[in-house]
Amino acid sequence: MSQFLLKTFIIIQLFSASVFATETEVKSLSDSIHKQMFVEKKKAQKMSIVIDPLHKKHPYSYQLNLKKFHFHDESTITYDKVVILDSNNQIDIPITFASKPIDIPTQISVECTHRYFQTMPSLEFSLKEKKVQKQFTNGPVCKLISINKKHFYVDTPQNFTFAFIALDKKGNTIFETDKSSFSYPKGSKYAALYSIKVLLKSQTFTPPLAFTINCNEAYAKTISDYPSDKFHLREDISKREHKTSPQIIKDEILESLNYRLIDDKITLCQAETPFSLKNHMNIINDESITLLGDAYIKKLSSSYLEEDFIKRIDLDKKPKTQVAILKNKILAPSEQLLIEVIRKSNRDTQLYPIDKESSLKVIFKDNSLTYQFMKNDKDVTLSEITPFAITFEAVYNADGMALLRDENNCYWGYPHKLTLSIPINPKAKSIEQIISIDGLNAEQTQALLNNYEQVNRVAALMAEINSLSSKMPQENDIIYNESLSALHYLNKEQVNISSIYTQEIAHSDPKGQIAHEYLVKPYMGYYITVCDKIELSDSKFIDTQKWNSSKDYSYNDEDLEFIGVKKNDWGLIAIPVDPTKMPHLYTNYEQYYKFFDKPQNAKPKSVWKTAWSSL
């Protein structure tokens, strides 16, 4: 594409200019657009010509109509899109070229239709003045025709828009209007009018100011690893102002944090009042939330941060909830550290001390800036110094403009100062609460808690048993187990197995009662066994495929024949005695639960597709 990178210029064709839109101003506008134009690659054969926001101190914003794209072969495409060029918003002009760079536009025809005043200049007329005229600095003239305590009329020129503010004798606003003539309606209770302030809002160019901008340099504006920044400057407007650092929470507020039930929502509160995290976004909440009910368990990793920055759980959306178990380990910083490192002409590398052990190493090189946290002279991550993330980061040039970062730690400009804001020195608060819903009494609440504790104990036991499954007779990826209890009886002398998978637990397996001659008894309300079926969906089950063993196994000098299943189909299942109160449990690498309306001896083909939940 380099053959098309022409010498930068902007062709300005001034068709018409009013008294207040001189050729110099149009050239200045064109130059501003030229300086702010860049190309950003999106995808293959797709890019955008972007026009960055004007610098913050620019006095005007403009309404532009992007009329046409012009190409190398002198063809054109009508675009006809209205955009606003101001200090806050980026203009994005998408470009798609079919196969060759020649398909990208070389020029864009532009019409400027309006100019808006960022800080609206003003004039004022009072009751003491009669038919006077006043002029805005280098702007239009307005003439006072008449004014009294209930009426005003100001003659204004065409092609300008104004706002009119009626003031009383103390300078208080009575009303605001865009009408240049206004009379109080009968019976009005407005205060007596004393003066009128006239604000200049915008100017309309009739006909529009037309000019053509050349795109070629926009394609040429790129940065490499360590480029020159003499002509390419881009502002990161999100860092235009250093946002106020999150506040440090007071110790007494931190200690008062708790959960409460307010309007059917479990809410994080400061004492009895909902607590807003808006000014405390540097706080770390490590929450664990479990909602319990009849045949219901719902685990949440956190509550929900709503628009008002208050953490809540809406129980209207979880109507089965009767008890909530809430745990939260809160970390809050004791200090917000502000780091500012200014480039020194005689040093590329600078060290900024954080504490006795830690420091920040900053390396300036041309357009590049990198930094590294250090601890005891070794490179470390920030998490080894503080558990909190950086809350503000910006790189500025010598004029105080926040520079936009590109790839390879390069910036569109010459880095002069690095600013970081980091929360440090954590203080902790732990919350452990149980909240009963729907007026449950203490006995009912405790019954749900006991059931949940029982579920977790059985699940933990199943995880231990599952880790011993390699001791089952197996060959060729087939596990031979007529019953799970065979794991106990075949390894009875091995303490590392029998101490975990005890006889009491083994007797909860219905499959081994004949072979090993025992009476089946549930263990902690569960029959712990191996699946016979595979759950494909909520309503579809298939039998596991069985395989006869090719070896003989013996127990008490008696030969045993084992029937096996493939490892992928083997599953450890806990079937509750009462499925209306307790969930089924399944274990592989993790523990899962699901409620059925009747006992099911089946493992899920996929825990996600069959709606099993992780404990």
Side-chain angles (χ1 to χ4, degrees):
M1 192 173 74
S2 61
Q3 59 183 315
F4 303 110
L5 300 179
L6 308 178
K7 183 178 178 181
T8 304
F9 65 93
I10 293 184
I11 302 172
I12 303 172
Q13 297 171 314
L14 181 60
F15 293 148
S16 173
S18 68
V19 173
F20 307 109
T22 65
E23 182 175 349
T24 300
E25 183 182 359
V26 177
K27 184 179 186 307
S28 174
L29 170 61
S30 300
D31 287 342
S32 296
I33 294 174
H34 157 260
K35 290 177 182 178
Q36 304 302 106
M37 283 181 64
F38 297 86
V39 168
E40 293 182 354
K41 293 181 180 179
K42 305 295 184 180
K43 297 179 181 178
Q45 298 185 346
K46 287 188 178 181
M47 64 176 69
S48 285
I49 297 176
V50 298
I51 303 175
D52 281 348
L54 299 170
H55 295 163
K56 186 180 179 182
K57 295 180 181 180
H58 201 283
Y60 309 118
S61 59
Y62 301 90
Q63 181 171 303
L64 307 176
N65 188 352
L66 308 179
K67 298 293 290 183
K68 288 183 180 181
F69 292 155
H70 299 259
F71 297 88
H72 291 84
D73 60 1
E74 299 185 0
S75 63
T76 61
I77 293 178
T78 300
Y79 189 52
D80 205 23
K81 181 178 180 179
V82 174
V83 297
I84 299 296
L85 177 66
D86 60 16
S87 299
N88 299 308
N89 300 291
Q90 185 186 73
I91 298 170
D92 189 311
I93 308 168
I95 305 295
T96 301
F97 54 94
S99 59
K100 303 175 184 177
I102 199 171
D103 296 321
I104 61 179
T106 59
Q107 296 176 337
I108 302 176
S109 296
V110 181
E111 288 183 350
C112 179
T113 56
H114 296 79
R115 176 177 65 173
Y116 301 95
F117 296 86
Q118 299 285 70
T119 303
M120 291 183 284
S122 65
L123 299 174
E124 191 165 337
F125 298 101
S126 69
L127 287 173
K128 299 177 180 179
E129 297 171 305
K130 303 295 183 181
K131 293 187 178 182
V132 297
Q133 64 180 27
K134 296 182 180 181
Q135 182 178 9
F136 290 91
T137 303
N138 298 321
V141 175
C142 293
K143 183 177 181 181
L144 177 66
I145 303 300
S146 60
I147 186 170
N148 58 44
K149 294 182 178 181
K150 295 185 177 182
H151 165 82
F152 73 86
Y153 174 30
V154 178
D155 185 30
T156 59
Q158 293 182 343
N159 298 328
F160 291 91
T161 58
F162 301 87
F164 301 88
I165 301 176
L167 305 174
D168 62 17
K169 194 169 185 178
K170 294 182 179 180
N172 299 318
T173 298
I174 304 172
F175 62 85
E176 184 175 343
T177 179
D178 59 358
K179 296 178 180 179
S180 62
S181 177
F182 187 87
S183 298
Y184 285 13
K186 289 184 178 180
S188 169
K189 295 183 180 180
Y190 283 141
L193 192 154
Y194 182 80
S195 64
I196 292 294
K197 181 182 286 187
V198 184
L199 303 178
L200 177 56
K201 296 172 65 177
S202 68
Q203 176 182 5
T204 302
F205 298 119
T206 306
L209 308 177
F211 55 92
T212 305
I213 57 175
N214 188 296
C215 303
N216 282 292
E217 191 199 319
Y219 305 132
K221 289 179 180 178
T222 60
I223 62 176
S224 56
D225 287 351
Y226 304 115
S228 167
D229 74 314
K230 292 182 179 178
F231 307 105
H232 307 329
L233 183 66
R234 296 190 72 178
E235 181 184 13
D236 186 347
I237 63 168
S238 67
K239 309 291 178 61
R240 186 173 278 173
E241 295 180 3
H242 184 168
K243 298 177 182 177
T244 303
S245 297
Q247 295 177 8
I248 299 301
I249 189 171
K250 295 179 180 178
D251 291 348
E252 57 269 27
I253 295 177
L254 181 63
E255 286 303 313
S256 71
L257 296 183
N258 69 104
Y259 291 95
R260 290 185 178 270
L261 185 62
I262 301 175
D263 297 331
D264 258 351
K265 293 183 179 182
I266 296 174
T267 306
L268 182 64
C269 292
Q270 174 189 339
E272 298 180 2
T273 305
F275 176 68
S276 175
L277 287 161
K278 184 176 182 180
N279 296 320
H280 302 286
M281 294 304 289
N282 51 10
I283 288 179
I284 297 173
N285 287 274
D286 183 12
E287 290 180 298
S288 171
I289 299 167
T290 306
L291 308 179
L292 304 177
D294 290 333
Y296 178 72
I297 299 173
K298 181 69 175 178
K299 294 183 72 68
L300 304 174
S301 58
S302 69
S303 51
Y304 304 101
L305 189 65
E306 299 187 350
E307 290 182 359
D308 55 4
F309 295 92
I310 295 173
K311 294 177 75 67
R312 296 185 177 94
I313 303 169
D314 189 351
L315 296 181
D316 285 341
K317 299 177 181 178
K318 296 172 176 56
K320 294 183 179 181
T321 303
Q322 294 176 302
V323 172
I325 304 172
L326 303 129
K327 297 180 181 180
N328 193 351
K329 294 180 180 178
I330 301 174
L331 284 181
S334 301
E335 181 182 350
Q336 191 77 25
L337 178 64
L338 179 63
I339 297 176
E340 292 185 328
V341 182
I342 296 176
R343 188 173 200 154
K344 296 181 179 179
S345 58
N346 60 342
R347 266 193 289 171
D348 288 338
T349 302
Q350 295 174 230
L351 284 177
Y352 184 98
I354 296 176
D355 54 36
K356 292 181 180 179
E357 297 180 335
S358 308
S359 61
L360 177 70
K361 179 170 68 175
V362 184
I363 302 172
F364 296 91
K365 186 174 181 181
D366 297 326
N367 282 49
S368 168
L369 183 147
T370 58
Y371 61 81
Q372 174 65 57
F373 290 99
M374 310 284 292
K375 192 169 186 177
N376 296 324
D377 297 325
K378 294 182 179 179
D379 293 355
V380 296
T381 61
L382 178 61
S383 62
E384 295 178 68
I385 298 174
T386 177
F388 308 104
I390 294 172
T391 54
F392 182 81
E393 175 180 351
V395 172
Y396 300 92
N397 66 5
D399 294 326
M401 178 186 291
L403 300 178
L404 189 66
R405 181 178 175 177
D406 206 275
E407 297 178 350
N408 302 318
N409 298 308
C410 291
Y411 291 83
W412 289 88
Y414 197 70
H416 178 72
K417 182 176 73 170
L418 169 68
T419 297
L420 299 176
S421 186
I422 306 173
I424 57 173
N425 299 332
K427 50 189 177 183
K429 158 76 174 179
S430 292
I431 300 175
E432 292 192 11
Q433 282 182 256
I434 295 171
I435 295 179
S436 297
I437 320 296
D438 292 337
L440 256 64
N441 60 37
E443 184 178 348
Q444 292 169 319
T445 298
Q446 193 59 50
L448 287 173
L449 294 173
N450 290 343
N451 286 350
Y452 181 61
E453 182 183 0
Q454 189 170 318
V455 166
N456 281 292
R457 288 174 64 187
V458 173
L461 173 63
M462 289 175 68
E464 289 189 277
I465 297 172
N466 189 67
S467 68
L468 303 174
S469 61
S470 61
K471 302 298 182 180
M472 298 291 288
Q474 54 189 290
E475 58 182 273
N476 300 326
D477 286 333
I478 295 175
I479 297 179
Y480 294 100
N481 54 327
E482 181 71 19
S483 66
L484 180 63
S485 58
L487 175 62
H488 171 79
Y489 284 101
L490 292 177
N491 299 281
K492 204 169 184 180
E493 304 304 320
Q494 296 189 39
V495 178
N496 62 327
I497 295 178
S498 60
S499 62
I500 296 174
Y501 189 41
T502 65
Q503 182 173 293
E504 182 185 9
I505 301 169
H507 286 184
S508 71
D509 177 16
K511 291 183 176 182
Q513 58 181 324
I514 295 175
H516 301 296
E517 300 177 349
Y518 59 77
L519 180 65
V520 178
K521 291 184 179 180
Y523 180 79
M524 296 184 66
Y526 279 92
Y527 299 105
I528 303 173
T529 186
V530 176
C531 65
D532 281 331
K533 297 179 181 293
I534 297 175
E535 183 185 9
L536 300 180
S537 66
D538 277 342
S539 59
K540 186 175 180 181
F541 299 83
I542 61 172
D543 293 328
T544 56
Q545 188 176 0
K546 303 296 176 64
W547 303 79
N548 289 319
S549 62
S550 60
K551 294 181 179 180
D552 293 329
Y553 298 92
S554 63
Y555 171 69
N556 288 343
D557 297 325
E558 293 183 15
D559 291 335
L560 299 176
E561 291 185 2
F562 286 105
I563 297 175
V565 296
K566 290 184 177 181
K567 281 187 177 181
N568 288 342
D569 293 339
W570 189 87
L572 189 57
I573 298 294
I575 304 170
V577 174
D578 185 357
T580 64
K581 292 184 179 179
M582 306 289 276
H584 286 60
L585 303 176
Y586 163 63
T587 294
N588 54 21
Y589 301 107
E590 294 184 51
Q591 288 69 57
Y592 301 91
Y593 69 93
K594 183 177 178 179
F595 285 93
F596 291 94
D597 55 4
K598 60 182 180 181
Q600 297 283 359
N601 188 357
K603 64 158 278 187
K605 182 72 173 178
S606 164
V607 292
W608 314 119
K609 292 181 180 179
T610 52
W612 286 72
S613 300
S614 179
L615 267 174

